[in-house]
């Protein structure tokens, strides 16, 4: 089984990435294979989020120092906060014998794909874009979670339109009609990909 790969799961805010991930990590076959990569961010923790599990919550000053020291495989600023994937996190997961799953924003995902392409390791990345059934459905999902005001919802919808426009740059496109169906499709993709040898 080839675990020398990493999985990118991208998609607009509110599409249901977290719910799909919960199903994947509860799966008997996948829970011994996958490990969620913990990104660093300067945003404040939401209710029920734990430092070191959901994100590494760090100050903007610390984040900028890490950029200066080239500690990120990718980083980005969106919704007025910095987000990034640390090289050390990927190495740690690989060392533990797991396949890293990165839930990241689309620009960051494209940067990682470019990084591996530049190193002629295109096959190391399993890129998956999780799309909503429609923009109207996405608006409803964001409103229903009740964590953003109307201005923030409008910003997220505009951002979602930009991200959906980049969808074809990903190897796999999954529409999240229901989290269970989407998770099953992603599970099939992961198991098929890790059975394949590197070229």
């Amino acid at each position: 089984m080839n675990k020398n790969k990493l999985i990118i799961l991208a998609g607009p805010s509110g599409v249901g990435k977290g719910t799909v991930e919960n199903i994947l990590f509860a799966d008997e076959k996948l829970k011994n294979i996958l490990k969620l990569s913990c990104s660093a961010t300067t945003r404040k923790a939401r209710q029920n989020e734990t430092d070191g599990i959901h994100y590494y919550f760090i100050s903007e000053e610390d984040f900028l120092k890490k950029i200066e020291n080239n500690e990120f495989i990718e980083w980005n600023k969106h919704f007025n906060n910095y987000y990034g994937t640390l090289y050390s996190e990927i190495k740690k997961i690989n060392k533990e014998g797991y396949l890293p799953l990165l839930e990241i924003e689309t620009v960051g995902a494209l940067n990682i794909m470019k990084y591996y392409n530049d190193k002629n390791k295109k096959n190391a990345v399993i890129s998956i874009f999780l799309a909503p059934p429609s923009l109207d459905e996405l608006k409803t999902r964001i409103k229903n979670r009740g964590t953003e005001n109307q201005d923030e919802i409008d910003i997220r919808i505009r951002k979602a339109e930009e991200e959906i426009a980049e969808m074809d740059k990903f190897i796999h496109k999954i529409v999240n009609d229901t989290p269970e169906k989407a998770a099953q499709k992603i599970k099939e993709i992961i198991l098929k990909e890790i059975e394949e040898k590197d070229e």
Side-chain angles (χ1 to χ4, degrees), residues 3 13 18 29 35 45 59 66 70 77 93 105-106 111 117 119 131 142 150 160 177 195:
K3 289 187 183 176
S13 175
K29 200 159 189 180
K35 193 153 199 181
S59 68
K66 289 181 185 300
N70 293 317
K77 189 175 185 182
I93 293 170
E105 192 262 347
T106 305
N111 287 340
N117 284 349
K119 290 189 166 289
I142 294 172
Q150 190 55 52
D177 287 315
E195 291 297 339

Side-chain angles (χ1 to χ4, degrees), residues 4-166:
N4 297 317
K5 289 177 182 272
L6 59 83
I7 302 159
I8 292 171
L9 180 62
S13 175
V15 77
K17 296 186 292 292
T19 307
V20 168
E21 283 165 14
N22 287 340
I23 297 167
L24 292 173
F25 285 103
D27 184 272
E28 284 300 319
K29 200 159 189 180
L30 292 180
K31 67 182 178 185
N32 296 318
I33 296 171
L34 292 184
K35 193 153 199 181
L36 186 64
S37 171
C38 190
S39 298
T41 183
T42 58
R43 80 157 168 78
K44 301 293 182 203
R46 291 181 187 141
Q47 196 177 2
N48 301 324
E49 284 185 328
T50 306
D51 183 58
I53 294 175
H54 298 96
Y55 285 98
Y56 295 115
F57 295 100
I58 62 175
S59 68
E60 188 165 316
E61 184 185 1
D62 282 351
F63 200 102
L64 294 174
K65 275 184 192 166
K66 289 181 185 300
I67 292 173
E68 205 175 303
N69 295 334
N70 293 317
E71 292 181 48
F72 290 107
I73 190 170
E74 62 81 28
W75 64 270
N76 208 301
K77 189 175 185 182
H78 62 107
F79 304 132
N80 297 317
N81 287 298
Y82 287 95
Y83 294 82
T85 304
L86 292 156
Y87 284 107
S88 58
E89 180 72 0
I90 302 301
K91 285 177 184 171
K92 184 183 83 159
I93 293 170
N94 284 148
K95 197 173 177 182
E96 291 169 352
Y98 289 96
L99 194 66
L101 188 148
L102 286 66
E103 184 208 308
I104 52 175
E105 192 262 347
T106 305
V107 173
L110 295 174
N111 287 340
I112 286 185
M113 287 189 264
K114 183 181 184 305
Y115 170 82
Y116 279 94
N117 284 349
D118 289 348
K119 290 189 166 289
N120 292 318
K121 291 183 176 179
K122 186 177 180 180
N123 293 334
V125 180
I126 304 167
S127 61
I128 303 165
F129 190 93
L130 192 63
S134 68
L135 268 177
D136 285 341
E137 174 65 24
L138 187 67
K139 284 179 195 175
T140 302
R141 289 179 189 181
I142 294 172
K143 281 177 186 172
N144 287 347
R145 69 186 186 183
T147 54
E148 290 91 7
N149 62 38
Q150 190 55 52
D151 286 345
E152 289 169 332
I153 289 169
D154 292 341
I155 290 166
R156 287 183 185 275
I157 293 302
R158 283 198 297 276
K159 178 78 176 164
E161 289 172 333
E162 291 170 14
E163 290 179 306
I164 289 166
E166 303 278 18

